Amino acid sequence: MSVSGPFFDRIAQRILTAHPAPDLRGVTILLPNYHAAQPLAQALMRGAQRPALLLPQMVTLNAWAQSVRLDTPVVADSQRSALLYQQLRKSKWFEQADLWSMTQELLKLFDELTHSLHELPGDAESFAALVQQAYQARQNSTLQLEARLVFELWHAMQAGTESDQARVYQQQLARLAQQADRPLYVLRASDWDALEQRFLDEYAQHAAVTVFDLRVMEAQIGAPLFFAATSLEQEARAAAMQVRRWLAAGKRDIAIVAQDRVVARRMRALLERAEVLVADETGWTFATLSVSTVLDRWLTSLQSDFYHRDLLDLLKSPFIFADLTASERKSAVYQLEQLLRKQGIVAGLEKFIDLAGHETALLQLLVRLRQAAALLEQNRKKTLAGWLLALQASLRVLGIDAGLQQDDAGRQLLLALETWQRELAADAGSYRFSEWRRWLAQQLDTQTYRDSSIDSTVRFTHLAATRWRPFDAVLLLGCDADHLPSAANGGRWFNDAVRAALDLSTRGSHAARQHDDLLGLLALNDCVLVTWQKDKNGEHGLLSPYLQILRDEHQRAHGDDRSEPELLACLAAEDAHRVELSQAAQPAPSVAAEAVPAKVSISAYNSLVACPYQFHARYILRLNELDEVQEAIEKRDYGERVHGILQRFHERYRQVGGHDAAEMEAALRRISEDVFADLLQQDFAARAWLARWYRSLPAYLAWQAENEAQGWRYAEAESAFSIELDGVQLRGRIDRLDVREQAIRVLDYKTQGDQILRHKLREPGEDVQLACYAYAHETDDASFVSIEGGKVKTVAPAHDVAQLAQLNAERLVQVMQRMRGGACLPANGIDQACMHCEMRGVCRKGEWL
């Protein structure tokens, strides 16, 4: 017999003594939950020692109350919420407040105030009298402003003719108490709330009430085992390991009381990896489920004018366009993503539709988005029910409703939307789109989904649900001082001071109830493991004070701190059996001759010199990162615009000499504004980049005038070239060519400081750009032009340019020949080259042996 057996046997003996077997139908037993019914029924069978027994009525208080039918119309919580929100919105006190969260918190307080009435009202008239009596009594009380506000609003909300759930529940209990005609036995583990106590008091006036309080039944509290983890991962692994050990030992009813839900999620993943399914009695709010995520993505896309990231997140949801095959959806999304990255369009559904062009499959999806968006008119005000109808219609257009119908949680979500729409059909209040969206988010955060498809002997539950429940084994997960006792489900508006002033339960009473529940759990179960993190985020973590007291008492009495003796060894053994991947080594791949590129750009050649493996990853494996959709102007865009400005300027003014300096600067400004025009429209930061360029105009014109004084004349810009070397074609584009009689000079504009450029040219052959340009035009004059910080300077290599050009060409030919011959391409870039290299995650530098 389990440790809980004697408790139920004592209860059964008391009942059988007063009510002889075999017929116990004249008795009602009030249970904290239906899980206690089976062990109690088994105890009654053992005590009666009869082959058959007519069991008593065993019921929870809430289920018993629901059996009482009342003719009173009941207003739904969604209707109460809308009514209260409209009252708060009219008040000038709360203009900057989050009214929906305040509404939710006030409704909870109103229900508690209703339950705190000193009598159980049997009908609407007696309820109204009790409310008025309480109101008159409190009018003369000194209440703080917040408490008075709550009380006045509660009184006003009770003036309606319709009853809320709290009022109906009170009347149902009053009817049960008045009709009491049979003895009542009650299983108790912690303090009642005021309403439950009044019901028992009134019931006792008509029939006998016997309470079995677990706290006073001379319960022997056993000391559980303790496991102090050094990290979240270790705690989750140890907990999962213990559950598997219990299952291997034949234990079948295993409870996981999860105080820390983060650890619980990780533990669940580990158990499912080990093919151990876990039922969840606590459930998850809809706001945390993927079925609600698709709603959020849809409404966010709509509100952000289909910002490209929001749109792609929406289209990648498995619930949208469920009438299409997965491959059709993926293909269309891929097409859109490629177009967005190529064209750089940030937002705007109409722009995306124009961009789609003749991509029929993609265009059809975007048109459906436009049709759905038209149903949700953001600029209009609607009722909550009107917004919900529009939402449901848009979900049908997008095929989201069909996708949700294929998921159990999705079906429950659709049912909730239909229920709220029906409940709010009579509400005439009008709401902006943003107000309705906040309301919807709150509704999703208050509705709980429980997965009934998993039938497992291992279950997540919460502490209050363990009252009078015996298990084969119990795991108390995440029992550090921050999670046990857990914080009361209070709010941010009305604290314990307000609750105390209104004679409602406080954080202290909430903690006391958890303490009683914990002791009751330990009294009924002797196979218990407690886990917590003794090291958390670099700080020392404390065990829950409730459990620390038990542990200290056991150590004083027995000299043993009850640390779990075997789990660490089990985890170590598990680690020993894991397959360890070999540590990364410096990669140095070779390439088949036919895979060696026949054409090489200047940038590819620079990459080859900086790091052969980088060249291999970028230009042979083609692992280049996808271009991001540009949302803000970057230094690269600034440089490209400067190149375009100077090209246009010099094509118009081949020489600045002979022109007025002010005229030249004005012309350069006009061209600059024209080139920057599109950027100025889409990004305010473009003005800062343009101002940065304006600072350099006088210096640039002075530099150009000096060049002309030295005899140099502008020849051409953006000059493309292609050189056939021995087995490889070198391609590139030169920013600018100047000529002086028969001489040619190659110039490359850089929006960088001259010191940075001098550093690039310090080692001959490290930067190949100027050398390759010089080789292409058979010149020994090549320079960078530094345009930065209001200064313009020419930066030339310190070494002989003609020689550098020849050596660079020969090196490229030799390297490509060796590559075709099977030479390795090692990852040997210096730290500076690796700092911003996007291939670092491929070569795994930093993890090499």
Side-chain angles (χ1 to χ4, degrees), residues 574-805:
E574 184 180 58
D575 289 337
H577 284 84
R578 289 183 177 177
V579 177
E580 293 291 342
L581 297 176
S582 59
Q583 192 169 353
Q586 181 181 17
S590 59
V591 183
E594 61 271 17
V596 176
K599 299 178 181 180
V600 176
S601 66
I602 300 294
S603 59
Y605 188 11
N606 250 333
S607 176
L608 179 60
V609 173
C611 174
Y613 185 83
Q614 183 189 85
F615 174 85
H616 173 259
R618 284 180 179 174
Y619 300 100
I620 297 178
L621 298 181
R622 301 186 182 277
L623 297 179
N624 303 55
E625 289 184 319
L626 284 173
D627 291 332
E628 291 294 328
V629 177
Q630 186 176 317
E631 300 180 38
I633 298 174
E634 299 173 353
K635 183 70 178 290
R636 179 184 61 182
D637 308 299
Y638 169 65
E640 290 175 353
R641 298 299 164 126
V642 169
H643 283 58
I645 290 167
L646 294 177
Q647 181 184 10
R648 288 173 60 174
F649 176 75
H650 286 297
E651 290 294 332
R652 185 176 302 177
Y653 301 97
R654 312 290 290 191
Q655 291 183 245
V656 299
H659 294 279
D660 180 69
E663 177 191 348
M664 290 292 92
E665 185 171 342
L668 197 47
R669 280 181 175 268
R670 286 194 300 272
I671 294 173
S672 300
E673 290 177 359
D674 189 34
V675 171
F676 268 85
D678 60 328
L679 294 180
L680 292 172
Q681 289 181 353
Q682 73 183 47
D683 189 352
F684 185 79
R687 298 187 180 277
W689 288 106
L690 183 57
R692 179 175 179 172
W693 163 238
Y694 281 162
R695 289 178 58 199
S696 300
L697 297 190
Y700 181 79
L701 291 171
W703 174 84
Q704 176 63 19
E706 183 181 348
N707 279 341
E708 293 175 5
Q710 295 172 2
W712 291 106
R713 297 291 183 267
Y714 170 84
E716 62 179 292
E718 298 298 321
S719 175
F721 67 86
S722 177
I723 308 172
E724 291 293 338
L725 301 174
D726 186 7
V728 62
Q729 184 185 89
L730 181 64
R731 299 177 293 113
R733 183 180 296 274
I734 300 172
D735 287 351
R736 171 173 165 175
L737 290 176
D738 280 7
V739 296
R740 185 171 60 187
E741 297 179 355
Q742 301 302 317
I744 297 176
R745 182 172 66 171
V746 173
L747 296 177
D748 192 71
Y749 298 126
K750 296 293 185 184
T751 52
Q752 295 175 303
D754 61 306
Q755 291 301 321
I756 296 175
L757 297 176
R758 294 185 201 283
H759 182 76
K760 290 178 70 172
L761 298 176
R762 185 174 58 187
E763 294 292 333
E766 285 297 315
D767 188 277
V768 305
Q769 194 170 14
L770 289 179
C772 289
Y773 291 162
Y775 187 88
H777 287 274
E778 300 180 354
T779 179
D780 59 357
D781 198 340
S783 300
F784 288 133
V785 180
S786 167
I787 307 174
E788 179 65 7
K791 300 177 182 179
V792 178
K793 295 184 179 182
T794 303
V795 181
H799 304 84
D800 183 86
V801 173
Q803 184 181 16
L804 284 176

Side-chain angles (χ1 to χ4, degrees), residues 186-212:
V186 183
L187 272 61
R188 180 177 181 180
S190 56
D191 288 336
W192 302 110
D193 62 33
L195 177 62
E196 293 169 331
Q197 189 60 58
R198 283 196 303 277
F199 165 72
L200 291 178
D201 292 342
E202 292 193 21
Y203 193 101
Q205 295 176 14
H206 302 88
V209 176
T210 304
V211 177
F212 297 101

Side-chain angles (χ1 to χ4, degrees), residues 240 243-244 247 267-278 454-456 458:
V243 169
R244 290 159 54 196
L247 289 172
M267 175 196 179
R268 182 173 193 161
L270 293 173
L271 286 173
E272 289 180 350
R273 183 186 300 174
E275 300 184 351
V276 177
L277 295 180
V278 184
I454 297 179
D455 184 15
S456 174
V458 181

Side-chain angles (χ1 to χ4, degrees), residues 158-193:
Q158 306 308 326
T161 57
E162 292 184 317
S163 297
D164 53 51
Q165 291 288 353
R167 290 164 62 174
V168 168
Y169 186 55
Q170 276 196 329
Q171 293 173 26
Q172 289 171 326
L173 292 182
R175 190 75 57 85
L176 284 177
Q178 293 166 4
Q179 297 172 354
D181 60 354
R182 56 172 61 187
L184 178 65
Y185 293 89
V186 183
L187 272 61
R188 180 177 181 180
S190 56
D191 288 336
W192 302 110
D193 62 33

Side-chain angles (χ1 to χ4, degrees), residues 73-121:
V74 181
V75 61
D77 285 342
S78 59
Q79 296 171 291
R80 295 171 68 207
S81 178
L83 177 61
L84 180 56
Y85 179 86
Q86 292 167 43
Q87 291 183 3
L88 293 176
R89 189 168 58 177
K90 292 176 184 177
S91 173
K92 301 299 182 184
W93 294 356
F94 311 111
E95 290 181 344
Q96 304 302 319
D98 180 0
L99 295 186
W100 284 121
S101 65
M102 180 182 282
T103 297
Q104 192 68 24
E105 189 172 336
L106 279 169
L107 290 178
K108 291 179 181 178
L109 286 172
F110 292 171
D111 289 345
E112 292 184 68
L113 280 169
T114 298
H115 288 169
S116 69
L117 293 174
H118 296 298
E119 299 176 28
L120 282 180

